[in-house]
Amino acid sequence: LTELNFRRNKITNVTGLNGLPLLQRLFLAHNRISNFEHLSSFIPSSSLQDLTLDNNPIQNNALYRPTILRRCPTLRHLDGVSVNEEDRKSVVVAMKKVDEKKEEENRQVLMKARKQQTLVSLREKFFSIHPHLRTDDPS
């Protein structure tokens, strides 16, 4: 099986396509697919050449096109638009920015956790030296 047409079927989640290693064309336009996890049964794909997801909520994601192109490197057309070398280069740039943003967010979360841990440690040390000042001790 190399082609499937599931246009206009109110589909929200695509499953069971990972058993189709020769699938080249998949038409999912005008459905209700809203996030990338709902496409996990065929993405990433090493054979998919044509994919249509236009008029699905997922298309409103700012990283829609770069994410699909990154996960499907063999695509020649996405939503009826040819994929060219410039598209592939822009994917690298866009996804690098996303990765850098995620790294910064992770770094900020780690720093916040370390600060919290330091404060707890300092509080414990302070009250071990001055137990008479503890106000949360019921005794």
Side-chain angles (χ1 to χ4, degrees), residues 5-135:
N5 185 345
F6 291 127
R7 288 183 184 120
R8 301 181 190 274
N9 281 287
K10 300 179 183 176
I11 294 170
T12 58
N13 194 0
V14 181
T15 60
L17 298 184
N18 49 356
L20 301 172
L22 302 177
L23 186 63
Q24 294 176 4
R25 299 175 56 140
L26 181 57
F27 304 103
L28 292 164
H30 300 276
N31 281 292
R32 296 180 180 165
I33 300 164
S34 60
N35 67 56
F36 297 108
E37 290 77 32
H38 295 157
L39 303 173
S40 62
S41 77
F42 70 90
I43 292 180
S45 172
S46 60
S47 62
L48 199 60
Q49 296 176 13
D50 296 299
L51 175 63
T52 60
L53 287 163
D54 50 310
N55 293 300
N56 276 280
I58 194 171
Q59 202 176 25
N60 297 326
N61 184 309
L63 295 171
Y64 163 73
R65 190 167 174 90
T67 300
I68 296 293
L69 293 178
R70 182 182 194 185
R71 294 181 182 183
C72 296
T74 57
L75 276 184
R76 293 182 186 168
H77 297 92
L78 176 58
D79 300 328
V81 177
S82 292
V83 176
N84 58 39
E85 197 56 38
E86 186 176 314
D87 291 326
R88 299 215 185 271
K89 288 178 183 176
S90 68
V91 166
V92 171
V93 171
M95 298 316 279
K96 183 177 180 182
K97 288 180 182 178
V98 168
D99 291 342
E100 288 171 352
K101 184 178 178 182
K102 284 181 183 178
E103 285 178 20
E104 178 60 22
E105 289 170 354
N106 290 340
R107 191 179 69 75
Q108 293 293 332
V109 167
L110 183 59
M111 283 179 53
K112 185 175 180 179
R114 285 181 181 160
K115 285 179 183 178
Q116 185 66 29
Q117 187 178 21
T118 301
L119 288 173
V120 167
S121 177
L122 287 172
R123 183 177 188 272
E124 289 173 359
K125 190 172 188 174
F126 176 83
F127 285 122
S128 71
I129 297 170
H130 307 284
H132 60 283
L133 296 176
R134 183 178 292 269
T135 59

